[in-house]
Amino acid sequence: MSQQVTALPTTESLRERALGSLTRLGVTFEEGDGLRARTPITGEDLLGLSAATPADADRAITAAHEAFLSWRTVPAPHRGELVRRLGELLREHKSELAELITIEVGKIRSEALGEVQEMIDICEFAVGLSRQLYGRTIASERPGHRLTETWHPLGVVGVISAFNFPAAVWAWNTAVALVCGDTVVWKPSELTPLTSLACDRLLAMAADEVAVSRDVHRLVLGDRALGEQLVDDRRIALVSATGSVRMGREVGPRVAARFGRSLLELGGNNATIVAPSADLDLAMAGIVFAAAGTAGQRCTSLRRLIAHTDIADTLVDRLTTAYRRLPIGDPFQEGTLVGPLISGQAHDAMQAALTAAQAEGGEILTGGRRQLADSAVNAFYVEPAIVRVTEQTDIVRQETFAPILYVQTYRTLEEAIALHNDVPQGLSSSIFTRDQQEAERFLAADGSDCGIANVNIGTSGAEIGGAFGGEKETGGGRESGSDSWRAYMRAATNTINYSGRLALAQNVNFL
């Protein structure tokens, strides 16, 4: 049996903790009935907030667009000063922001602090980037000509973020967009309004301190309709949307219809291959965190384990034992590793997936049961589940945003890679092996088809220095590090003629 933390905090104590963090951050807000701040720790409402109206959103877009007209002309290193100060404020208020993340999302303390550290890291990356928005000089075929490529600010970036990383994904987009000369309108998840208010407040503080207009960033709190407003508004040059594949199917075509740009971070159905030569202790650590961490509510969470037949039984036995010892309960309590699911809807989806897996021939080896229902009737704590399957059935090929790990076996690496790639999603992947040839084969062009491919680590826990994103139904977007900044800028090809005569390309003669 999984270990349980039997005593959960009261909703009133969580409300006081949230209000205390907001007060220390200097956050003010208007109470109302348009939006409810809620905690999955008890499954109850914390307080009511006023929601933005369509007119409010229009004013926010207008303000951000007007701010862009001057912000784009500010030298990029000076734009970096705003992000530098934001990073400093995040360091100063790391604890308060992590507290709000735990209250609204249910992440254990170390994961919440890790999310804020990710924000700090991307700010540091973006500050350096502000002096490295490099173009190119290209060899011209015409004498006395110089051919160059330059990059310019794009416009207003509309950020639509999901509940599971309520602060980090915003920071990935906002830090990079700001140094690129863009302004931002942010529509966060309705499930995390308090965390969103805190992030907006810290950026406003940074803007005041470095004498930048607050309108370079505007927050709109509300429901799906506000997100649709960003999607359809022609003044939004780029829509960066994180969420489900269903959402992406709607966002992408609508933005494309008005010839806007979209950056989509959608579903993941991530797999790990465990080879016969793998260090099983290392594999165990990587698998358990990737599959059960954040209660399986990361887009990079491990959903599928593909183990070689020679070691599968041993590995599964060890995983089953480890799963049964996972402490489940209050995410604030030291030692807890698995907090709550975000909602009853997530719990229902998990149970439906387990039922479907059994109907398709799968066997639940451990987990899947609800815990702490007596002490928190409106909260949904579950035992992470391991399901042994004999083939990659329909339910295995779907992403269920919950801690379910499907285990299947393989005999040859070619078979394993084929199983790995035979899903609609293509976000994160990994292999555990001590065979260099196998590792290189997995990373090759005909190996993993995901945007993230790892060797001897799990599928979760990406660093900000590398571009984050995936292929196929994951959407193809890239955020955070590497050269993902180019998504937030427009390229211009420039030809300078200093020859004193007109020379046409391709030796064309006209006059």
Side-chain angles (χ1 to χ4, degrees):
M1 285 291 290
S2 300
Q3 298 178 38
Q4 298 178 34
V5 178
T6 55
L8 294 173
T10 66
T11 300
E12 182 57 35
S13 70
L14 293 171
R15 180 185 298 111
E16 292 304 314
R17 292 180 76 158
L19 290 174
S21 292
L22 292 171
T23 298
R24 289 189 293 275
L25 289 166
V27 174
T28 59
F29 58 90
E30 184 179 344
E31 295 193 42
D33 296 325
L35 199 61
R36 305 299 299 179
R38 175 186 171 277
T39 177
I41 297 173
T42 63
E44 296 176 351
D45 289 348
L46 297 169
L47 50 91
L49 300 168
S50 178
T53 65
D56 293 331
D58 183 74
R59 283 190 289 270
I61 296 169
T62 298
H65 176 69
E66 291 176 354
F68 167 72
L69 300 179
S70 57
W71 183 240
R72 63 183 173 181
T73 65
V74 174
H78 293 309
R79 299 194 295 251
E81 283 298 298
L82 171 61
V83 177
R84 179 192 59 78
R85 185 58 188 140
L86 172 61
E88 292 172 347
L89 289 169
L90 287 168
R91 286 184 184 277
E92 294 170 22
H93 298 284
K94 187 174 183 178
S95 180
E96 289 92 344
L97 191 52
E99 181 119 329
L100 292 169
I101 291 170
T102 294
I103 290 170
E104 288 196 298
V105 182
K107 288 187 179 183
I108 63 174
R109 184 67 174 170
S110 67
E111 288 194 78
L113 288 167
E115 177 165 353
V116 183
Q117 185 61 49
E118 198 167 338
M119 302 171 75
I120 295 166
D121 294 345
I122 194 62
C123 286
E124 292 183 351
F125 178 91
V127 172
L129 179 65
S130 70
R131 294 182 181 270
Q132 300 179 78
L133 300 173
Y134 298 139
R136 293 187 179 95
T137 297
I138 304 165
S140 174
E141 68 185 60
R142 289 170 283 186
H145 287 65
R146 182 161 59 90
L147 187 60
T148 66
E149 176 187 84
T150 54
W151 291 85
H152 302 291
L154 184 62
V156 181
V157 175
V159 177
I160 301 172
S161 58
F163 79 87
N164 59 330
F165 278 85
V169 171
W170 166 77
W172 290 356
N173 284 275
T174 301
V176 174
L178 288 172
V179 299
C180 287
D182 302 327
T183 56
V184 175
V185 178
W186 180 27
K187 192 279 175 193
S189 168
E190 301 97 304
L191 300 177
T192 56
L194 303 184
T195 303
S196 307
L197 286 166
C199 293
D200 181 61
R201 171 59 183 160
L202 290 174
L203 184 49
M205 290 168 61
D208 290 345
E209 291 180 23
V210 299
V212 168
S213 168
R214 289 188 178 188
D215 288 335
V216 298
H217 179 267
R218 294 293 297 266
L219 170 69
V220 290
L221 293 177
D223 59 14
R224 169 178 169 159
L226 294 181
E228 293 178 339
Q229 194 169 342
L230 298 187
V231 167
D232 294 333
D233 196 303
R234 292 181 178 274
R235 294 169 296 177
I236 302 290
L238 169 69
V239 175
S240 178
T242 302
S244 67
V245 173
R246 177 198 57 75
M247 179 203 71
R249 291 190 195 282
E250 296 182 25
V251 170
R254 286 172 67 166
V255 176
R258 61 174 178 83
F259 297 99
R261 294 192 198 177
S262 59
L263 193 165
L264 301 176
E265 296 286 359
L266 309 175
N269 193 353
N270 314 296
T272 287
I273 297 171
V274 183
S277 68
D279 178 336
L280 291 190
D281 291 336
L282 185 65
M284 280 284 299
I287 291 165
V288 174
F289 170 68
T294 328
Q297 297 172 117
R298 292 182 178 223
C299 52
T300 54
S301 289
L302 180 61
R303 314 288 180 195
R304 297 176 295 133
L305 177 60
I306 304 169
H308 193 274
T309 53
D310 289 352
I311 51 90
D313 289 344
T314 299
L315 180 61
V316 169
D317 287 346
R318 292 185 62 179
L319 284 171
T320 301
T321 299
Y323 264 50
R324 289 171 178 165
R325 295 174 178 169
L326 288 173
I328 300 169
D330 176 10
F332 278 115
Q333 184 165 318
E334 188 72 26
T336 298
L337 293 179
V338 182
L341 292 175
I342 192 66
S343 67
Q345 184 178 5
H347 173 262
D348 292 346
M350 180 177 181
Q351 297 309 311
L354 292 173
T355 299
Q358 289 177 295
E360 293 173 358
E363 178 188 0
I364 299 175
L365 302 181
T366 190
R369 291 168 296 193
R370 186 177 174 189
Q371 299 293 328
L372 302 172
D374 292 339
S375 54
V377 66
N378 296 311
F380 294 87
Y381 295 83
V382 294
E383 298 171 349
I386 299 175
V387 182
R388 191 78 178 256
V389 297
T390 57
E391 59 180 324
Q392 197 149 264
T393 60
D394 287 344
I395 193 61
V396 178
R397 298 179 77 250
Q398 297 174 26
E399 179 189 37
T400 301
F401 221 58
I404 301 175
L405 180 63
Y406 300 107
V407 182
Q408 51 198 314
T409 59
Y410 76 94
R411 291 190 177 276
T412 68
L413 186 60
E414 287 70 23
E415 179 189 358
I417 291 173
L419 278 171
H420 175 280
N421 293 346
D422 185 31
V423 293
Q425 311 85 359
L427 179 53
S428 188
S429 60
S430 76
I431 186 170
F432 283 88
T433 180
R434 284 181 283 201
D435 184 321
Q436 183 177 357
Q437 187 174 14
E438 286 187 324
E440 295 293 343
R441 175 70 179 80
F442 181 73
L443 300 178
D446 58 349
S448 167
D449 64 358
C450 293
I452 300 169
N454 299 329
V455 176
N456 291 329
I457 61 171
T459 57
S460 282
E463 299 179 33
I464 60 89
F468 181 92
E471 300 303 318
K472 302 188 291 188
E473 287 189 0
T474 302
R478 292 296 186 275
E479 294 173 328
S480 189
S482 186
D483 62 353
S484 60
W485 60 269
R486 296 187 181 200
Y488 302 85
M489 303 195 82
R490 60 179 180 87
T493 300
N494 318 120
T495 304
I496 301 98
N497 178 7
Y498 59 91
S499 70
R501 58 182 293 271
L502 183 65
L504 301 179
Q506 295 85 46
N507 298 316
V508 172
N509 292 309
F510 192 73
L511 290 176

